[in-house]
Amino acid sequence: MRLTLEETLAILQESGKVIITSHVNPDGDALGSCLALAHYLKDRGKDVSVLIDDEVPKGFLVLPGAEKITAPGENEHYLADLLVVLDASLDRIGKVGEAVSAPVVNIDHHPTNDGKAERLYLDGERAATAEIIYQLLELAGGEFDKDIAMALYTGLATDTGFFRFSNTNPLTMRAAARMLEAGAEPHVISESLEQRPYSHVKGLADALQHIEVWHGGRAAGAFLSYETMEGIEATDGLIEMLRVIEGVEIAVVMKYKEEGKARVSMRSKGADVSAVALQFGGGGHVKAAGCGIEKPFEEARAMLQAAIDAALAPTDPVAGDAGSAGEEK
Ligand code: 5GP
Ligand code: MN
């Protein structure tokens, strides 16, 4: 059932014990949305915990309450009045789904949300799930303290590339301004998120040795096998380096942290990479999407490159009619 914002707020307000979760490999929007909603509900006397089946990246520990986020324990079972799943469909929350017994409400901004939650608030027009949480809290009376402001600002900023991507809209800016009034400190957040160990920067340099372009320079990728990844600690920032190459419309990073299991990130300037990700059971947005592929390196790489070729094909220059097809922005 698709909920309205009012119905979603009512469900949150009537629940006493609430568990909030988001996707594995949590990003700023996942964590910021969870923490903001947790602070709001706690301030209203509810028993709230944030349970995420993954580690919280160190940079996010600057957010109040991030240190209390836990992963579900082995064989542990949790009972609650409500499980709130933010910024993802239920298939991306790892072990939390089985570990928690509670009715579910799903709040998301991914157009590729699988719609399987019994109760779903989905708005694909919102830049971030944090923007939806902002709308919910506005509807609830618009009280924002510093803890909420730091969390929501982080979600808004990270999902819009710090207010640079095309999803940035007037509501994003209004919400961000409101968060600054409520005490968010943008420089504290961005400085914390920028910090990385020396080994990660070296790893990025190593990964950059593997970049390539194809499809007449319109696609760029780094395909990193398990063997290659053994010498690379992190690839943060790699997709951004590919995305900025002149003429590149689709950028992709495919990497194996586990043998036989590729993780794929894609970015685009117009072509629909969420459609590519969906072909492999993933999802995301038109211009930023991802998926996992459980195939050996060469096979996964060939499938992915073929799917990207097909995504670019509708706008390939046709002989004698070059450039007639316009790209959706
Ligand atoms: P990133 O490349 O930053 O990990 O992800 C880009 C976008 O794609 C995000 O909106 C993220 O939620 C989505 N995404 C990444 N991986 C997956 C996946 O395996 N499944 C789904 N459904 N979405 C994904
Ligand atoms: Mn998001």
Side-chain angles (χ1 to χ4, degrees):
M1 178 177 115
R2 290 288 284 266
L3 303 171
T4 63
L5 210 53
E6 288 76 10
E7 288 166 340
T8 310
L9 181 61
I11 292 168
L12 294 169
Q13 285 172 336
E14 73 202 13
S15 308
K17 183 167 166 49
V18 182
I19 296 176
I20 304 173
T21 193
S22 189
H23 53 83
V24 293
N25 193 13
D27 56 15
D29 189 28
L31 296 166
S33 298
C34 286
L35 287 171
L37 184 60
H39 289 307
Y40 169 77
L41 294 174
K42 260 183 210 160
D43 291 346
R44 266 127 206 102
K46 297 178 189 299
D47 175 359
V48 188
S49 46
V50 180
L51 202 61
I52 294 178
D53 188 16
D54 218 330
E55 263 177 49
V56 174
K58 217 164 72 185
F60 293 111
L61 294 176
V62 70
L63 299 180
E67 72 289 349
K68 295 197 199 100
I69 297 176
T70 52
E74 279 295 322
N75 302 319
E76 208 153 342
H77 210 84
Y78 306 81
L79 283 175
D81 301 329
L82 188 66
L83 174 64
V84 187
V85 180
L86 297 178
D87 198 43
S89 311
L90 276 54
D91 60 343
R92 289 190 69 212
I93 60 174
K95 290 199 281 289
V96 172
E98 304 120 53
V100 177
S101 294
V104 171
V105 65
N106 185 194
I107 303 172
D108 193 11
H109 74 126
H110 290 99
T112 56
N113 184 295
D114 65 14
K116 289 190 180 149
E118 47 209 87
R119 292 176 298 178
L120 170 66
Y121 182 79
L122 177 64
D123 185 353
E125 298 292 307
R126 302 280 52 89
T129 299
E131 220 173 274
I132 302 176
I133 303 298
Y134 166 77
Q135 290 180 303
L136 276 168
L137 301 197
E138 269 292 343
L139 190 65
E143 284 176 41
F144 300 96
D145 63 14
K146 181 172 179 178
D147 290 358
I148 294 178
M150 289 288 279
L152 283 187
Y153 182 88
T154 298
L156 296 166
T158 54
D159 259 26
T160 57
F162 283 78
F163 312 104
R164 290 177 302 127
F165 299 157
S166 62
N167 56 354
T168 310
N169 66 85
L171 182 63
T172 324
M173 293 306 213
R174 275 192 211 107
R178 184 72 190 87
M179 294 311 109
L180 294 197
E181 285 165 355
E185 294 181 285
H187 69 287
V188 173
I189 295 164
S190 61
E191 282 167 18
S192 179
L193 297 185
E194 263 163 24
Q195 291 297 310
R196 61 204 61 213
Y198 173 66
S199 59
H200 285 200
V201 178
K202 290 287 278 182
L204 181 59
D206 293 341
L208 280 168
Q209 304 301 313
H210 297 266
I211 67 172
E212 58 187 272
V213 294
W214 81 96
H215 207 106
R218 294 169 63 201
F223 297 91
L224 308 168
S225 67
Y226 184 69
E227 291 70 34
T228 304
M229 281 302 293
E230 277 183 323
I232 297 176
E233 215 175 293
T235 58
D236 308 11
L238 179 58
I239 193 115
E240 286 304 309
M241 306 293 292
L242 292 165
R243 200 178 66 87
V244 299
I245 297 171
E246 274 174 357
V248 166
E249 292 165 48
I250 295 184
V252 58
V253 171
M254 181 183 101
K255 63 180 181 188
Y256 285 78
K257 279 202 200 150
E258 280 177 72
E259 196 103 58
K261 276 191 178 178
R263 272 302 315 160
V264 178
S265 274
M266 288 176 282
R267 298 291 183 269
S268 129
K269 295 188 183 132
D272 186 359
V273 285
S274 75
V276 176
L278 275 172
Q279 291 171 39
F280 299 98
H285 308 276
V286 170
K287 294 180 179 175
C291 57
I293 304 180
E294 295 194 15
K295 299 259 186 223
F297 180 74
E298 285 304 339
E299 198 180 331
R301 171 200 179 108
M303 288 169 78
L304 191 56
Q305 285 192 307
I308 290 171
D309 285 338
L312 288 170
T315 51
D316 278 345
V318 179
D321 182 25
S324 69
E327 223 166 358
E328 188 199 328
K329 279 274 159 353

